[in-house]
Amino acid sequence: MAVVAKRPQDRAAAAVRYTVLVLAALLFLLPFALLARNALTLDQDLNNPEWHWFPPTWAWSNLTDLFTNPELPMARSLVNSLLIAVTQTAGVLVLSGMAGYGLARIPYRWSNAVFYTITATLLIPAAVTFVPSFVLVSTLGWISTLRGLIIPGLFQALATFLFRQFFLSFPKEVEEAAFLDGLSYWGTFWRVVVPNSLGFTAAIGTITFIQSWNAFLWPLVIGRSQEAWTVQVALSTFLTAQSVDFGQLFMGALVAIAPLLLMFVFLQRWIVEGVERSGIGGD
Amino acid sequence: MWFWVFVGPFALGLVVFIYVPILWSVYLSFFSAYNTVTPSRFVGLGNYADMLADPAFRSSLGTFLVFAAFIVPTTFVLSLGAALLVARTRVMQTFFRSVFFLPVACSYVVASLVWKMSLFSGVASGVANAAIGLAGHEPIPWLSLTDPPWYWLVIVSARLWLQLGFFMILFLAGIQRINPVLYEAAAIDGARGWQTLRYITLPQLTATSTAVLLLLIVNAFQAFDEFFNILSTFGTYPPYARPPLVYLYYVALGRGQDFGHGSAGAVILTAVIAVVALVQGRAMRLGRED
């Protein structure tokens, strides 16, 4: 980009701006640097009062010890987290995508009433309903089961609302051509609408995946037994309740955020779009 | 009926997993329900009276107010500031945006671990203590001190780091939607940096600002993860600094499994947050008219 000749005060302002940005960026990266450093530091070195930017001895053994530690069920909890996040993401996309399309496009006398019934739940903060939902799930006998961890999280009114807004702006001509070709609503949706909405679907999908992977309160309440722990619950249990090898615990945390950091590198565009859409309601 | 083929599965799930629990919970809130979800002893508004009279419940609302007073303005100002700075930057704009946005991928549990055990660890090897040690200051036990309550610095800075990027993205999207013609007109009228910000950028961001403020307050009200993970040690949570959800967690799911009082608390909290949302929506709409 061509830079127009600048007056000295503009150049000074730019210098201040970059200084602030660089300092803030370093501050923002510091927790990640600490996480990586501590993950590769031996437990006894972590309490060394002498400051060091890099581990005194590189403790790659933390990684192998982490997965062989019988008290910290790391592999199991990673599998649980992955199963939950993948099925919840897929479930939310299918359920909310279909519901959003039906509300946006299929004429029905009670369509508005159904829409208001759905959006009314947006006023109730999800976390405040955790006590009533816990009561329901325990009545169903779903405590400490994958069903209990996954199914109640599949019905996201916000995702349905956003899909509806998106499909309202979908070009009608494309669908009309499909109807002329003899496709039903079902065929039109899956063969024409969905393939042309992959960007939006990716945006909602990445955000749902991140929320599901990082969720804490619900998995804490439902995943009572060790076999049902997600990776967040496993880390939290050892952070708050028991004394462990902290080098290993930091390595566990690094392993827990690694999938999301990878997603961030490759899918950042969709995550940004997902944040923009879900933050301001898509209008 | 194609409508129900598409909407039915979602609507059914919403009724079963959102509406039924809420109504059931309202029902439970009128009963004495220890360890049971099919209680028989009706207590009327007794649970509500108990909750409102309980100093611990009221202090949890106070904790929320203090927390909101810290986190809402700081996140608002700093995420807006970051968005303005990043928007004006040409060289390495994507890099700076990504760095501030990156913590969005981090969970509250992992951030709590870093904050509690490394950044604000009470021992001399903690980062904050190492930093003040350079100035010859003794190490501070950041989390166990109540006077001065340094734990607020730990709690607030953790959430600030985690959510700033999210709101920066919302502000950036708002800034990009501002019509460039407005800036050209202002430049012709001789408006300079601060004036442009005051008379063009900020008024054009009113809708975004309303959404951001509401989200910040609602999110602060639902705070649980960082309080629970940073403040509880060896399985016990200190008697202070319990926000509403932490309090509710211990009442309803602690040893007593007191669903009657827990449900009454949930109903009260839902009412509070609905009122906050309505009042704020009303206030911002009134503000826009003048």
Side-chain angles (χ1 to χ4, degrees), chain A residues 17 38 108 117 127 232 236 240, chain B residues 19 85 107 118 222 229 234-235:
Chain A
R17 201 162 65 231
N38 295 352
Y108 177 56
T117 312
Q232 311 294 343
S236 168
T240 59
Chain B
Y19 277 99
L85 277 177
S107 76
S118 200
Q222 302 192 65
N229 285 298
F234 299 113

Side-chain angles (χ1 to χ4, degrees), chain A residues 17-18 21 28 38 46 48 99 108 117 125 127-128 132 134-135 155 160 214 216-217 221 232 236 240 260 264 268, chain B residues 1 3-4 10 19 21 37 85 89 91 98 101 105 107 118 125 161 222 225 229 233-235 245 253 266 270 273:
Chain A
R17 201 162 65 231
Y18 274 99
L21 279 170
F28 261 67
N38 295 352
L46 278 175
N48 185 346
Y108 177 56
T117 312
V128 172
F134 173 80
V135 170
F155 308 98
T160 301
N214 286 341
F216 178 62
L217 180 55
V221 165
Q232 311 294 343
S236 168
T240 59
L260 293 196
F264 211 85
Q268 193 184 154
Chain B
M1 208 54 221
F3 180 85
W4 287 113
F10 177 81
Y19 277 99
V37 292
L85 277 177
T89 302
V91 182
S98 301
F101 189 49
S107 76
S118 200
S125 58
W161 180 76
Q222 302 192 65
D225 300 9
N229 285 298
T233 30
F234 299 113
L245 283 197
L253 306 172
T270 308
I273 202 67

Side-chain angles (χ1 to χ4, degrees), chain B:
Chain B
M1 208 54 221
W2 279 115
F3 180 85
W4 287 113
V5 171
F6 278 84
V7 184
F10 177 81
L12 185 69
L14 196 77
V15 166
V16 172
F17 289 100
I18 309 276
Y19 277 99
V20 167
I22 288 173
L23 294 176
W24 196 344
S25 165
V26 171
Y27 169 80
L28 281 177
S29 72
F30 296 114
F31 286 85
S32 171
Y34 290 92
N35 265 319
T36 176
V37 292
T38 48
S40 52
R41 204 164 71 80
F42 182 76
V43 293
L45 291 172
N47 289 331
Y48 288 90
D50 290 348
M51 288 305 271
L52 292 174
D54 183 356
F57 183 70
R58 285 190 299 202
S59 113
S60 80
L61 292 175
T63 299
F64 156 67
L65 288 178
V66 174
F67 181 52
F70 281 129
I71 194 69
V72 174
T74 45
T75 312
F76 186 91
V77 170
L78 291 177
S79 58
L80 176 60
L84 291 169
L85 277 177
V86 169
R88 291 205 57 184
T89 302
R90 293 282 164 273
V91 182
M92 295 185 34
Q93 183 187 43
T94 320
F95 169 78
F96 286 120
R97 195 191 64 173
S98 301
V99 167
F100 298 137
F101 189 49
L102 191 57
V104 169
C106 185
S107 76
Y108 275 78
V109 176
V110 170
S112 299
L113 172 66
V114 175
W115 255 248
K116 183 182 188 174
M117 292 299 167
S118 200
L119 266 180
F120 288 99
S121 157
V123 292
S125 58
V127 178
N129 279 335
I132 62 172
L134 292 177
H137 202 292
E138 287 294 299
I140 294 176
W142 301 97
L143 291 171
S144 49
L145 224 54
T146 49
D147 183 32
W150 282 116
Y151 58 84
W152 279 120
L153 176 68
V154 185
I155 296 275
V156 170
S157 60
R159 178 170 284 240
L160 186 62
W161 180 76
L162 282 161
Q163 72 179 6
L164 187 137
F166 183 96
F167 293 101
M168 177 196 72
I169 293 291
L170 296 191
F171 277 125
L172 270 174
I175 289 170
Q176 274 150 14
R177 277 197 302 267
I178 299 175
N179 192 340
V181 171
L182 292 173
Y183 288 111
E184 287 159 24
I188 291 168
D189 289 345
R192 303 294 312 273
W194 283 112
Q195 292 168 319
T196 323
L197 180 67
R198 168 74 183 77
Y199 294 105
I200 312 276
T201 312
L202 294 185
Q204 291 289 317
L205 287 177
T206 308
T208 310
S209 305
T210 315
V212 167
L213 268 183
L214 190 61
L215 279 172
L216 280 174
I217 294 173
V218 172
N219 289 351
F221 196 73
Q222 302 192 65
F224 178 85
D225 300 9
E226 75 270 48
F227 281 89
F228 184 86
N229 285 298
I230 290 179
L231 289 178
S232 63
T233 30
F234 299 113
T236 48
Y237 195 97
Y240 52 87
R242 294 188 174 198
L245 283 197
V246 171
Y247 171 76
L248 216 54
Y249 174 81
Y250 284 110
V251 168
L253 306 172
R255 237 173 296 136
Q257 298 247 330
D258 183 352
F259 292 139
H261 284 101
S263 297
V267 172
I268 296 171
L269 294 180
T270 308
V272 170
I273 202 67
V275 168
V276 169
L278 285 175
V279 167
Q280 213 225 348
R282 191 66 53 82
M284 294 307 271
R285 220 164 295 142
L286 286 177
R288 224 180 303 174
E289 275 163 21
D290 45 52

